[in-house]
C-alpha cells in the first residue's frame, strides 16, 4: 500500500554525527511536508517508479528485482540497509523476503521517518530497527548481517574505502553486499583494490543502462519546477537540489551505472551465518548476536 503523504513534519531529532547531517535532515523534513518531490521522481521513472518505496535515489522496479535476486537470503535472516534514508528499500525487501531488518543512516530525521514507516509495511518493531550511524562507523558487531544493500549511498561517504571495509566487517561469512556504483564509460573500475582490502570478492556486475537517462529526466524536472521547489521545500533544500542538478547534468552522457554484488568468503570450518561476533581484539568483543533484534 502507498504510505500517506505527511503534511506536517515531526520535530527533528538532534543532529547526526558531527552535524554533517544538516543538509539531509532539512531535505527529509521538507519532503515530509509535500508530495512534490515524489511526484517528480514518479514522472522521471514512469512505470518503473515503486510508489510504496518512495526512495530519494535511483531505486526503481528493475533494481528491486536485481537486489532480490542477488541477495538470495532465506526467511528470518538479517538484512542491513546501509544509508537507508527513510527506509523504503529495506522495508520492502524485508517484507518481500520475510527478513529481519537493520537500517542506519547519517540523518536522524530520516531514521525517525524510517521507523515510523514500519507500520505501512506491516512490519513489527522487533523485525526492523533503525539507528543513526556513518557508513564508516556503523556501531554494529562483527559478522552481524547475512546481507547488506547500499543504494546510492557509498558515493556520498567521506571515505569510500573505509566505508567498504566497515560494511565488509559487519557482513557474515558467506553473506553478500549489493551496492550501486557509477564510473565513467570506458574507465577501468576503481573498486577492485577496495574490495580486496575489505576481505570481499566480486560475484556479479550488473549493468543499469537506464539509470543515467533517469537522472537526466529527473534533474531537468527539478530545474523546470525550480519555483515550486523553493515554495514548497524552502530555500535551503531547493537550492541544494538545483545545485546538484546543474552540476551533475553535464556528467551524465559519460556515466556508466552498475550494481556490484560482493561476497564475504566462508572460512574453512565457519558456519557462514551471522550468529556470532568474530575478530579477536575487536572493540565489539565476542559472543552471540541476538537472533531477534539488532544490537544498537
Amino acid at each position: 500500500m502507498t504510505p500517506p503523504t505527511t503534511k506536517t513534519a515531526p520535530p527533528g531529532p538532534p543532529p547526526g554525527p558531527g552535524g554533517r547531517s544538516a543538509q539531509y535532515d532539512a531535505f527529509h523534513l521538507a519532503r515530509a511536508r509535500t508530495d512534490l518531490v515524489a511526484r517528480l521522481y514518479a514522472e522521471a521513472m514512469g512505470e518503473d517508479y515503486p510508489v510504496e518505496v518512495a526512495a530519494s535515489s535511483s531505486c526503481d522496479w528493475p533494481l528491486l528485482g536485481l537486489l532480490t535476486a542477488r541477495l538470495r537470503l532465506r526467511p528470518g535472516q538479517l538484512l542491513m540497509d546501509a544509508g537507508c534514508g527513510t527506509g523504503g528499500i529495506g522495508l520492502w525487501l524485508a517484507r518481500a523476503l520475510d527478513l529481519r531488518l537493520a537500517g542506519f543512516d547519517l540523518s536522524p530525521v530520516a531514521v525517525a521517518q524510517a521507523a515510523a514507516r514500519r507500520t505501512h509495511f506491516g512490519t513489527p518493531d522487533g523485525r526492523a530497527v533503525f539507528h543513526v550511524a556513518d557508513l564508516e562507523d556503523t556501531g554494529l558487531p562483527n559478522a552481524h548481517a547475512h546481507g547488506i544493500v547500499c543504494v546510492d549511498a557509498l558515493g556520498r561517504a567521506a571515505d569510500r574505502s573505509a566505508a567498504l571495509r566497515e560494511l565488509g566487517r559487519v557482513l557474515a561469512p558467506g553473506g553478500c553486499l549489493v551496492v550501486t556504483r557509477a564510473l565513467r564509460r570506458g574507465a577501468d573500475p576503481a573498486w577492485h583494490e577496495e574490495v580486496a582490502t575489505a576481505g570481499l570478492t566480486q560475484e556479479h556486475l550488473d549493468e543499469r543502462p537506464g539509470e543515467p537517462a533517469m537522472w537526466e529526466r529527473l534533474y531537468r524536472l527539478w530545474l523546470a519546477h525550480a519555483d515550486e521547489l523553493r515554495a514548497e521545500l524552502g530555500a535551503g533544500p531547493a537550492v541544494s537540489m538545483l545545485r546538484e542538478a546543474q552540476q551533475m547534468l553535464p556528467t551524465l552522457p559519460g556515466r556508466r551505472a552498475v550494481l556490484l554484488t560482493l561476497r564475504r568468503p566462508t572460512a574453512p570450518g565457519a558456519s557462514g551465518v551471522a550468529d556470532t561476533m568474530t575478530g579477536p581484539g575487536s572493540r565489539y568483543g565476542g559472543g552471540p548476536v541476538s537472533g531477534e533484534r539488532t544490537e544498537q
Side-chain angles (χ1 to χ4, degrees), residues 272-287:
V273 296
D275 57 2
T276 58
M277 299 185 218
T278 59
S282 165
R283 62 190 176 95
Y284 297 96

Side-chain angles (χ1 to χ4, degrees), residues 11-275:
R20 292 183 291 111
S21 71
Q23 177 180 333
Y24 301 108
D25 292 338
F27 171 78
H28 291 298
L29 283 170
R31 180 170 177 175
R33 295 193 297 265
T34 173
D35 66 352
L36 175 59
V37 175
R39 286 192 284 111
L40 296 180
Y41 269 93
E43 185 173 345
M45 291 188 181
E47 63 181 11
D48 285 336
Y49 180 64
V51 175
E52 186 179 24
V53 171
S56 300
S57 69
S58 64
C59 181
D60 54 14
W61 280 119
L63 180 60
L64 286 173
L66 272 176
L67 293 173
T68 301
R70 294 309 183 203
L71 284 169
R72 295 183 181 276
L73 294 178
R74 299 190 302 275
Q77 290 187 314
L78 179 65
L79 171 68
M80 187 167 80
D81 188 353
C84 65
T86 58
I89 296 172
L91 287 166
W92 189 94
L93 289 167
R95 186 184 61 190
L97 301 175
D98 191 20
L99 306 172
R100 293 176 293 121
L101 175 66
F104 71 87
D105 195 89
L106 180 68
S107 166
V109 171
V111 166
Q113 292 175 352
R117 295 182 71 192
R118 287 179 296 209
T119 57
H120 298 305
F121 287 84
T123 305
D125 292 358
R127 295 276 292 185
V129 293
F130 299 92
H131 73 283
V132 177
D134 287 319
L135 283 171
E136 298 92 337
D137 184 8
T138 65
L140 296 170
N142 293 348
H144 187 59
H146 299 97
I148 303 174
V149 293
C150 184
V151 177
D152 295 358
L154 190 62
R156 298 180 183 271
D159 185 333
R160 294 183 193 180
S161 295
L164 198 60
R165 288 195 301 273
E166 174 69 354
L167 295 180
R169 179 190 67 77
V170 174
L171 188 63
C176 72
L177 162 62
V178 190
V179 56
T180 57
R181 295 295 299 261
L183 66 161
R184 306 300 299 169
R185 287 200 189 113
D188 292 329
W191 54 72
H192 292 309
E193 184 175 346
E194 296 174 352
V195 168
T197 302
L200 304 170
T201 59
Q202 181 174 319
E203 189 169 83
H204 296 286
L205 185 67
D206 294 294
E207 300 288 338
R208 301 183 62 208
E211 191 254 27
M214 185 285 294
W215 281 119
E216 180 175 2
R217 291 192 298 272
L218 182 63
Y219 287 145
R220 294 197 184 282
L221 284 168
W222 287 1
L223 294 173
H225 291 79
D227 290 342
E228 292 175 68
L229 288 170
R230 293 189 188 96
E232 298 199 27
L233 299 182
V239 167
S240 295
M241 292 171 66
L242 296 172
R243 184 185 300 119
E244 178 182 336
Q246 291 165 343
Q247 292 175 346
M248 293 301 297
L249 270 170
T251 72
L252 294 176
R255 179 182 177 93
R256 177 189 173 199
V258 301
L259 183 69
L260 187 63
T261 301
L262 308 174
R263 182 78 60 180
R264 182 176 175 186
T266 302
S271 66
V273 296
D275 57 2

